[in-house]
Amino acid sequence: MKKKLGIALGSGSARGWAHIGVFNALAESGIKVDYVSGTSIGSVVGAVYSIGDIEEFEKFAISIDWKSIVSFIDVTFPGSGLIPGRKLFKMLSEYYRDILIEDLPVPYCAIAADVLTGEEVRFNSGKVIDAVRASVAIPGVFTPFKHEGRILVDGGIVNPVPVNVVREMGADVVIAVDLNNCTLEDNVKGIIKKGVVEKSNSVTKDVDEEDRDKRIFEMLEEKYNEITGSIRTKFDSLRSKDNVPNILEILDNTTHIMQRSITDNQFKIWPPDVIIKPQLGDFRLLDFDRAEEAIEEGYNLTNEKIEEIKELFS
């Protein structure tokens, strides 16, 4: 009997575009994925692959620029998350339509976490958009998703790279894509926008990147001004001062540190057969406009593992 291949797609915000490159490399080599499980951004890309729209989704990812990112962001203060995500999830709803997980041609499972109980919640049935909405709700950034009496957030806080889940789905061979493996030093350098940890090693930000950040925050401020006149006091806490991380970046890096530790421990308990570790430590939370870089990294690293993967089926 032919062995079945499963892929566990890890969490990692914008670094998750690398998952597209992984699928591209496997497809070029004629390797079929039989089971998919994903957490956070892994649930987004995994769902698209399971639906069969990965090529169209890649075009969408590459088309994103900073203006697109801003257009998907709606801000609220105070609340259970900085970004309700209504616009983003409306767009995803249109993309996933009303497709049910149980109707997907490739079996799929998304991972979320119950923020009240700490339990892992698996979405292996129901609407794809509900599964994705729950799985990507980064604590403190996106508002939690209320579903069937539970309050759900990003599954990365309990299972960042769900190797055990895809094994239980029936996979004989498991590929794990770990996006949180980069060194914390690299990650910190990324989130402070290549600023200074020590003044003697300071690096000046690229003008275009600086302008991009400034405009994003100006757009967010404008949006919030429509809601309340107290934006100045509250929004100042979001701005990055003296090349230190802003609140979004602090939340992102805190999550990264936690997920890296969880992943290391879980790989010891449930070791995957192949681990792909894209090196994207300088990617920040909202760097979704860098899709081509991430896709290429995922593609190249997977190609380096192709012979190893094929041998597992021989």
Side-chain angles (χ1 to χ4, degrees):
M1 182 180 294
K2 183 179 179 298
K3 292 180 180 179
K4 299 289 187 178
L5 174 64
I7 189 164
L9 304 174
S11 57
S13 60
R15 297 186 293 276
W17 290 146
H19 295 317
I20 297 174
V22 173
F23 282 123
N24 287 347
L26 293 174
E28 280 189 11
S29 297
I31 298 173
K32 178 180 177 292
V33 177
D34 300 289
Y35 302 99
V36 176
S37 183
T39 298
S40 196
I41 187 65
S43 75
V44 176
V45 179
V48 173
Y49 178 83
S50 294
I51 290 170
D53 287 343
I54 196 72
E55 292 181 6
E56 286 302 312
F57 192 73
E58 180 178 5
K59 294 176 184 177
F60 162 73
I62 292 174
S63 73
I64 292 177
D65 56 18
W66 67 264
K67 291 181 181 179
S68 304
I69 296 170
V70 171
S71 71
F72 291 133
I73 294 176
D74 43 1
V75 182
T76 181
F77 297 96
S80 54
L82 297 174
I83 303 172
R86 287 182 291 267
K87 293 181 180 180
L88 172 62
F89 295 116
K90 180 180 179 182
M91 182 276 294
L92 289 177
S93 294
E94 293 172 354
Y95 194 89
Y96 294 129
R97 302 177 290 278
D98 289 321
I99 297 174
L100 299 177
I101 293 174
E102 50 266 43
D103 293 336
L104 296 177
V106 178
Y108 164 82
C109 182
I111 308 301
D114 187 319
V115 75
L116 299 182
T117 66
E119 294 177 306
E120 176 181 298
V121 178
R122 301 181 184 183
F123 281 82
N124 48 28
S125 63
K127 291 184 178 180
V128 171
I129 185 58
D130 288 344
V132 170
R133 173 66 180 87
S135 187
V136 302
I138 303 171
V141 179
F142 286 106
T143 53
F145 180 56
K146 295 180 180 179
H147 182 73
E148 297 182 353
R150 291 179 179 266
I151 300 178
L152 305 176
V153 295
D154 189 330
I157 68 174
V158 291
N159 200 346
V161 190
V163 171
N164 61 318
V165 175
V166 82
R167 287 249 189 238
E168 292 172 23
M169 292 172 72
D172 302 298
V173 175
V174 174
I175 298 172
V177 187
D178 177 15
L179 302 175
N180 290 301
N181 68 88
C182 52
T183 67
L184 296 181
E185 181 181 9
D186 286 342
N187 191 255
V188 169
K189 287 178 181 177
I191 67 167
I192 64 176
K193 312 179 187 83
K194 302 187 188 302
V196 292
V197 175
E198 296 179 354
K199 290 186 178 179
S200 61
N201 293 323
S202 63
V203 179
T204 302
K205 280 202 329 179
D206 181 83
V207 175
D208 290 339
E209 182 181 327
E210 190 173 83
D211 181 65
R212 168 182 176 271
D213 288 350
K214 179 181 177 182
R215 287 172 179 255
I216 285 177
F217 279 106
E218 285 176 350
M219 290 289 288
L220 293 176
E221 184 172 19
E222 181 180 338
K223 289 171 180 291
Y224 188 69
N225 259 325
E226 297 174 1
I227 304 173
T228 175
S230 61
I231 181 63
R232 190 65 60 185
T233 300
K234 295 176 180 178
F235 198 79
D236 278 348
S237 65
L238 273 181
R239 294 186 182 278
S240 180
K241 301 176 181 178
D242 300 323
N243 285 321
V244 297
N246 61 47
I247 188 171
L248 291 176
E249 294 163 339
I250 289 172
L251 287 168
D252 182 43
N253 202 48
T254 302
T255 302
H256 166 78
I257 293 169
M258 175 187 65
Q259 292 183 356
R260 184 179 179 188
S261 177
I262 294 172
T263 300
D264 288 345
N265 289 328
Q266 291 191 333
F267 279 0
K268 293 176 184 177
I269 301 171
W270 300 297
D273 298 288
V274 177
I275 304 176
I276 296 170
K277 298 183 175 184
Q279 299 300 306
L280 300 168
D282 66 330
F283 269 54
R284 291 175 287 142
L285 179 66
L286 298 178
D287 279 350
F288 288 98
D289 55 341
R290 298 174 63 185
E292 287 185 276
E293 294 176 56
I295 292 171
E296 183 178 8
E297 175 73 0
Y299 175 83
N300 290 338
L301 289 181
T302 305
N303 270 333
E304 292 176 6
K305 300 273 188 175
I306 287 297
E307 292 307 315
E308 179 183 347
I309 294 170
K310 287 182 176 179
E311 287 178 7
L312 292 169
F313 292 91
S314 62

